[in-house]
Amino acid sequence: MMESRLILPKLILLVEDNETCAKLFTSILTNGFGVRVHHAEDGKSARAFLAKHRPDAIQMDIQLPDESGWELIRSFQMDERWHDIPIYVVTACGLLFKEERLYERSLIVAEMEKPVALPAYVMMVQCVLRSID
């Protein structure tokens, strides 16, 4: 008898505190790419999700209500359970000072400032998803 295995779509952890942005990104990711999205509105929620689940990639905002996205990135990449999950950043002003946070920046695969240009956002997500195929 042949074993049947269900293949689930990729899972993106979306760490975003702005509800409007979260809805927009979720819509693009689910409708445009067919991926599953789990939305975490802060660092605490993101950590709780990661304690039980393993996403294929993480989309990270930098300005979160409880801690910096840069600190989350550092902790995710330093933990052997999560260090190989690609993280890409989409944020309003966390990228203003390019000379700062060089170590954390070296841990991410892509970055984009808000407001996003949708074609550029789509291309960035395509590249991230291709990298995990």
Side-chain angles (χ1 to χ4, degrees), residues 52-104:
K52 297 180 180 178
H53 306 279
R54 182 174 173 79
D56 295 292
I58 299 171
Q59 178 175 319
M60 180 69 66
D61 189 10
I62 295 301
Q63 293 186 312
L64 299 170
D66 59 348
E67 63 185 300
S68 164
W70 292 125
E71 295 307 318
L72 281 172
I73 290 167
R74 181 184 281 256
S75 68
F76 293 168
Q77 293 291 30
M78 295 185 82
D79 189 310
E80 66 182 36
R81 296 172 294 172
W82 309 317
H83 75 275
D84 60 340
I85 298 173
I87 300 173
Y88 60 102
V89 170
V90 181
T91 189
C93 60
L95 305 176
L96 291 178
F97 303 103
K98 297 269 186 187
E99 66 282 356
E100 294 181 7
R101 298 289 188 172
L102 293 177
Y103 176 73
E104 288 84 355

